[in-house]
Amino acid sequence: MVTARDVEYQVNGATMRGRLAVPDGDGRPPAVLIAHEGNGLDEHQRYRPDRLAELGYVAFALDYHGDGRVYTESSAILDRLATLAADLDQVRALGLAGLEILTAEPRTDPTKVAALGYCFGGTMALEMARAGADLKAVVGMHPGLTPSRPADSGNISGKVLVCLGSDDPLVPVEQRIAFEEDMRAAGVDWRMHLYGGVAHSFTHPRTLDPDAQVLPGIKYDETADRLSWRAMLELFDEVFGVDAR
């Protein structure tokens, strides 16, 4: 059984609304912070903490748009992400505020925390690690990979996993290569899973909706979704010693 609830919190005067899920029991299991895709914490993404809690993790899905806002138009999503990308100190602050909510939960083991991000949320998870957050694992699902301050990558203390589609137009080959060089230079324990013929946002089935407004190069892929989730759980098993598969 899982207990889940919405959590309202403040970041720099703005109200955020995330979702916290806690598994039944009395122990203090590992915890996972989740940063949503660019459109916002929609119903599909609101369920991700519950899914992880069912596997025995405390999980919190943060909100980085404010008021639990979900954008439905591609232009609005791009405008919002451009604003965030121009102020990565704010991106880090939004992520770290979510981390505070997660670690304040009494059931959380604060020594065993991971961050999982999708799309721009993956960028946020990486930026939190570069800011020195105590994260044992950082997972980016189709994330942007360009570091804001390459020297900060030396602050990453946990293991890094990024899962990407080979045909993702938002993360071109050159960006992947630059990320590899950045990780090597910083001495990070990292790995990259690349799925052939797969586009951006392959973890979100909203792209199957014919009425959904999505950009070219964005498409759900069931196989890549399943394999990337498995790879994430294997990493969690590795760093936490918990077999949740």
Side-chain angles (χ1 to χ4, degrees):
M1 297 291 292
V2 169
T3 300
R5 68 180 188 275
D6 290 347
V7 177
E8 186 173 292
Y9 59 108
Q10 301 289 315
V11 182
N12 295 334
T15 299
M16 306 293 168
R17 293 184 174 87
R19 181 173 176 85
L20 178 71
V22 181
D24 282 353
D26 299 320
R28 302 185 77 187
V32 182
L33 179 69
I34 308 169
H36 56 74
E37 292 191 62
N39 66 315
L41 194 57
D42 61 24
E43 285 306 308
H44 177 74
Q45 297 180 84
R46 280 173 56 80
Y47 176 67
R48 284 177 176 147
D50 304 57
R51 186 179 179 190
L52 281 167
E54 289 168 357
L55 296 176
Y57 298 96
V58 177
F60 179 62
L62 60 76
D63 169 20
Y64 61 76
H65 290 332
D67 292 320
R69 184 178 297 109
V70 176
Y71 295 98
T72 58
E73 296 183 0
S74 297
S75 59
I77 296 172
L78 292 175
D79 287 347
R80 171 60 178 164
L81 297 184
T83 298
L84 288 170
D87 187 0
L88 286 173
D89 284 332
Q90 174 70 352
V91 170
R92 293 181 179 192
L94 288 165
L96 294 173
L99 183 61
E100 288 181 5
I101 298 296
L102 178 62
T103 55
E105 162 56 44
R107 288 287 310 285
T108 293
D109 182 343
T111 69
K112 295 182 177 180
V113 179
L116 162 65
Y118 295 81
C119 187
F120 193 84
T123 301
M124 176 174 285
L126 288 165
E127 284 301 314
M128 291 170 57
R130 291 187 175 106
D134 184 12
L135 300 168
K136 297 300 184 288
V138 180
V139 180
M141 301 293 188
H142 39 86
L145 297 178
T146 303
S148 59
R149 300 163 192 150
D152 287 358
S153 294
N155 295 326
I156 299 175
S157 58
K159 298 186 178 185
V160 172
L161 164 68
V162 294
C163 297
L164 298 163
S166 66
D167 294 358
D168 186 337
L170 302 183
V171 188
V173 173
E174 296 78 13
Q175 193 176 120
R176 298 202 307 259
I177 294 173
F179 177 78
E180 293 179 25
E181 294 173 348
D182 178 55
M183 292 293 99
R184 280 194 291 269
V188 177
D189 186 336
W190 68 281
R191 62 204 69 175
M192 180 184 294
H193 289 208
L194 189 65
Y195 306 108
V198 174
H200 189 69
S201 199
F202 58 79
T203 59
H204 201 313
R206 77 180 187 280
T207 58
L208 300 178
D209 181 355
D211 296 325
Q213 292 191 26
V214 295
L215 296 169
I218 293 180
K219 186 178 181 181
Y220 177 68
D221 187 285
E222 182 179 4
T223 300
D225 185 16
R226 173 172 47 83
L227 292 177
S228 59
W229 183 265
R230 181 187 301 171
M232 177 194 71
L233 293 182
E234 288 174 351
L235 177 60
F236 290 170
D237 183 15
E238 180 181 331
V239 299
F240 296 140
V242 176
D243 190 348
R245 288 167 288 163

